[in-house]
């Protein structure tokens, strides 16, 4: 889902293959800060294994990514960069982590992402719950497709 006509701040949340310096983003969700409307969602196919603890936390495994036709990170990044480069504030539960994970995933794929440094980042716990809810709905929908 993509709708890049945002007039104001957005909420960003990412899910990853783990927490280490070699891990990668496997899901990105962007919501409108004003009303919680989902603006962008994508699964990304990593080039590293998904740590079992990450799967326990976020519910995402290889089977789900394959079923959801997860795209390679360079394609996800192209769409994500349109939103992030549009200006305005980006809210995140833990922006240092989210920014680091996006940056290291880009670097793994040889993608220049210095524009991340130009973004106004802010932590926002309340609105992050909306991003998590949207992500859970997508994960649940994919799991239903697997069993149905």
């Amino acid at each position: 889902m993509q709708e890049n006509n945002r007039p104001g701040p957005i909420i960003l949340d990412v899910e990853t293959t783990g927490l280490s310096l070699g891990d990668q983003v496997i899901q990105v969700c962007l919501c409108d800060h004003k009303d919680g409307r989902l603006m962008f969602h994508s699964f990304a196919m990593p080039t590293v294994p998904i740590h079992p603890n990450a799967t326990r936390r976020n519910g995402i495994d290889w089977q789900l990514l394959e079923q959801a036709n997860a795209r390679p990170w360079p394609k996800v990044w192209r769409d994500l960069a349109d939103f992030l480069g549009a200006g305005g504030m980006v809210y995140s539960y833990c922006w240092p982590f989210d920014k680091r994970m996006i940056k290291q995933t880009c670097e793994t794929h040889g993608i220049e992402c210095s524009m991340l440094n130009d973004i106004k980042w802010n932590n926002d716990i309340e609105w992050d719950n909306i991003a998590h809810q949207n992500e859970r709905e997508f994960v649940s929908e994919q799991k239903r497709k697997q069993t149905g």
Side-chain angles (χ1 to χ4, degrees), residues 32-142:
D32 185 279
H33 191 272
K34 181 178 174 185
D35 60 13
R37 175 179 47 93
L38 182 65
M39 299 177 72
F40 175 82
H41 174 270
S42 185
F43 288 107
M45 188 59 77
T47 60
V48 297
I50 302 171
H51 193 282
N53 288 339
T55 297
R56 278 191 286 280
R57 182 190 177 283
N58 60 34
I60 301 170
D61 59 17
W62 281 103
Q63 184 180 5
L64 185 141
L65 292 176
E66 289 169 355
Q67 178 73 28
N69 296 314
R71 301 183 300 154
W73 178 255
K75 290 183 179 187
V76 173
W77 172 250
R78 263 181 278 165
D79 294 337
L80 179 61
D82 286 344
F83 281 96
L84 296 179
M89 179 73 67
V90 175
Y91 289 88
S92 171
Y93 175 71
C94 184
W95 68 263
F97 175 77
D98 290 345
K99 179 180 173 182
R100 174 177 70 87
M101 294 307 295
I102 292 169
K103 183 177 179 184
Q104 72 188 40
T105 304
C106 284
E107 289 172 351
T108 295
H109 293 278
I111 298 170
E112 195 282 321
C113 60
S114 61
M115 55 93 65
L116 291 173
N117 297 324
D118 299 330
I119 296 170
K120 299 174 201 161
W121 295 87
N122 195 354
N123 289 335
D124 191 323
I125 295 170
E126 175 187 347
W127 282 99
D128 182 66
N129 291 331
I130 291 172
H132 277 304
Q133 178 61 37
N134 280 318
E135 285 178 343
R136 282 191 294 274
E137 288 173 14
F138 274 95
V139 170
S140 295
E141 179 181 330
Q142 292 305 317

